[in-house]
Amino acid sequence: MDKEQAQKKLPPEGEKPVVAQQTAGEECSSTPQGVTEPEDVGELRKKAAERDLYRNELLRAKADLDNFQKRIRKERPTWEEQAVRRFARDLLPIVDNFERAIAHAGLEGVARGELEEGIWLTHQMMVRVLKDHGVEEINAERVVFNPELHEAVSEVEVSDQPSGRILEVLEKGYRHRDTVLRPSRVNVSRNTEDAKQSVDSATEGAGEHEAK
């Protein structure tokens, strides 16, 4: 009986025995014990997106900071010059008062007492400080009038000077490098011959206009 059952289990002659095999899908789908897949892959993707967002914001903030620092370095000299000019404009009236006191007391080129000496030295120190910061007096003594540097207060008729020359400085002018802080206030010459010719030319022009 056992021999007959054994013969029934054998495959027919010429056929190979069938061996059970695992498919590739079955092998890959099997998970080792103790290892589990993430429950929410979407949550991980969300975290990755937030990471990229924060990184981009950090890079933009760093770029903005770099640009701000560059602008500060570029504009700082301009701010410093503007500060010096504001300070100098406020200081110039004080320098004027010192010069008036010196002129009124006749301290130029004469022996001075302790008080007078202190006034004169204080004035010199203030002028030197202004010069160290680029503030200089505008030259207006016996030069040709320049409307960019000088302010004409009045015209004085003369015969020995050409028109347009500065005869007297009423108030000193100052500039900081190429910027005029205060123009020199001056009296300007007007030659009498030039004035006469101007009047004659105007008279002739009026006569020709009436004749027409």
Side-chain angles (χ1 to χ4, degrees):
M1 184 70 178
D2 295 337
K3 186 177 180 180
E4 291 179 356
Q5 291 178 352
Q7 289 179 350
K8 289 181 179 179
K9 292 181 180 180
L10 293 175
E13 294 183 1
E15 292 184 6
K16 294 182 179 181
V18 178
V19 180
Q21 296 180 350
Q22 281 187 327
T23 63
E26 292 174 347
E27 183 178 358
C28 293
S29 60
S30 61
T31 304
Q33 292 183 355
V35 178
T36 58
E37 293 182 350
E39 295 181 357
D40 193 353
V41 177
E43 185 67 21
L44 293 178
R45 292 176 179 172
K46 181 180 178 181
K47 295 297 183 183
E50 291 178 355
R51 177 204 62 196
D52 294 340
L53 177 63
Y54 293 147
R55 181 176 180 274
N56 292 335
E57 290 180 352
L58 178 62
L59 292 176
R60 282 195 296 268
K62 184 178 182 300
D64 292 340
L65 179 60
D66 291 341
N67 293 333
F68 175 74
Q69 291 175 338
K70 290 178 182 178
R71 188 170 70 251
I72 291 296
R73 286 193 294 268
K74 181 179 179 181
E75 297 179 357
R76 178 176 295 172
T78 302
W79 297 342
E80 292 176 351
E81 289 186 354
Q82 291 175 350
V84 170
R85 290 166 188 169
R86 285 196 298 268
F87 173 73
R89 286 191 180 99
D90 293 338
L91 192 63
L92 291 180
I94 302 175
V95 176
D96 294 338
N97 288 332
F98 270 100
E99 292 178 349
R100 293 188 186 101
I102 293 172
H104 181 72
L107 302 180
E108 286 292 344
V110 298
R112 297 181 287 268
E114 292 182 0
L115 178 60
E116 293 85 354
E117 182 73 15
I119 294 174
W120 186 83
L121 290 175
T122 302
H123 169 262
Q124 293 299 307
M125 289 175 63
M126 295 176 68
V127 172
R128 185 165 58 251
V129 168
L130 289 173
K131 189 172 182 179
D132 290 342
H133 286 82
V135 179
E136 295 181 345
E137 180 183 339
I138 295 174
N139 182 26
E141 294 288 345
R142 301 292 176 177
V143 298
V144 178
F145 177 79
N146 184 348
E148 295 183 356
L149 302 175
H150 311 128
E151 177 185 342
V153 176
S154 63
E155 286 186 325
V156 180
E157 291 189 354
V158 295
S159 59
D160 59 342
Q161 294 282 344
S163 297
R165 294 192 69 87
I166 295 176
L167 299 176
E168 183 182 8
V169 179
L170 304 177
E171 185 179 66
K172 291 182 179 180
Y174 293 86
R175 62 183 172 188
H176 179 249
R177 296 186 174 90
D178 296 331
T179 300
V180 175
L181 300 177
R182 186 179 73 186
S184 302
R185 302 180 74 246
V186 298
N187 288 335
V188 184
S189 66
R190 185 182 184 190
N191 188 276
T192 53
E193 292 296 327
D194 294 342
K196 183 179 179 180
Q197 291 178 4
S198 299
V199 172
D200 293 342
S201 299
T203 303
E204 291 177 0
E208 292 177 357
H209 180 71
E210 291 177 359
K212 292 181 180 179

